């Protein structure tokens, strides 16, 4: 289980930072206790009080917690530098601070109150996340700056132009889809088409048409030699590791 804010969705990380800043400004010490949780870790937690010892700690199976998607984190108030798990009034104060920055607070839940828990769902139900949908952050532009930098683009518009998308500078579903496709680092070879091919062509300094043909293959071989990689003209994991 992670306590790093870097494992959170970029927008949730922003909200978490705002939350921490506000707590600090109010001289209200808190500690982040959990951020991202893998599906296996979630299943282990779900087993507690059911098939393994101890009290029940969650109602969510693996895949059915917002923690599994980097959309939730847990925090606790500190008293004299130590976590206070049971002080309800402190949790209420913490919940109010979290809500003021745009987070949902688990202390507001009716059935299973989860006082340390904060989340941002982007309006998506957990079932939608399970089916593969992902939320789009408000002002997606700013939260995608990190991936633009990573992909070596100066702006969202420049990225959209190379991807053959409407260059409006707004990160909507199509732009997000293109980013996600590239970030999957799919193995690319002659005959392949799509956003990842466009990205490869952009990085090879070629005309971008999204169609992996002979010219792309030849340029990729040269680039692989220059990067001391096996010059097979196939963009696999080792080539991707250099690209991104
Ligand atoms: Zn939680």
């Amino acid at each position: 289980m992670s306590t790093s804010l870097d494992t959170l969705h970029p927008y949730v990380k922003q909200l978490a930072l705002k939350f921490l800043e506000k707590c600090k400004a109010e001289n209200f010490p808190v500690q982040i206790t959990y951020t991202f949780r893998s599906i296996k870790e979630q299943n282990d937690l779900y087993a507690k009080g059911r098939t393994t010892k101890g009290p029940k700690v969650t109602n969510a199976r693996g895949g059915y917690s917002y923690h599994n998607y980097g959309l939730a984190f847990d925090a606790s108030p500190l008293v004299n530098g130590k976590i206070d798990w049971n002080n309800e009034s402190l949790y209420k104060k913490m919940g109010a601070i979290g809500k003021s920055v745009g987070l949902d607070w688990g202390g507001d839940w009716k059935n299973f109150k989860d006082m340390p828990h904060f989340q941002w769902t982007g309006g998506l139900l957990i079932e939608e996340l399970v089916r593969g949908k992902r939320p789009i952050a408000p002002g997606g532009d700013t939260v995608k700056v990190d991936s633009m930098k990573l992909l070596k683009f100066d702006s969202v518009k420049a990225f959209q132009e190379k991807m053959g998308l409407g260059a409006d500078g707004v990160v909507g579903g199509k732009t997000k889809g293109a980013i996600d496709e590239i970030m999957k680092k799919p193995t690319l070879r002659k005959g392949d088409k799509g956003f990842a091919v466009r990205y490869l062509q952009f990085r090879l300094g070629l005309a971008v048409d999204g169609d992996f043909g002979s010219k792309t293959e030849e340029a990729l071989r040269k680039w692989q030699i220059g990067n001391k990689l096996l010059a097979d003209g196939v963009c696999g994991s080792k080539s991707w590791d250099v690209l991104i």
Side-chain angles (χ1 to χ4, degrees), residues 162-208:
K162 290 289 180 196
M163 290 302 124
L165 299 167
D168 58 3
V170 177
V171 179
K174 280 184 191 166
T175 302
K176 202 176 170 294
I179 294 170
D180 289 347
E181 189 183 316
I182 297 164
M183 297 309 262
K184 276 184 199 149
K185 304 181 176 184
T187 298
L188 300 172
R189 47 170 66 85
K190 207 171 165 181
D192 284 340
K193 293 182 172 62
F195 293 121
V197 174
R198 280 180 174 270
Y199 182 70
L200 176 64
Q201 291 172 325
F202 157 68
R203 290 298 303 278
L204 295 174
L206 300 169
V208 173

Side-chain angles (χ1 to χ4, degrees), residues 34 37 65 67 72-74 114 116-118:
Y34 294 121
R37 206 176 279 152
S65 161
H67 284 283
F73 66 87
D74 296 344
D114 192 353
H117 183 94
F118 291 103

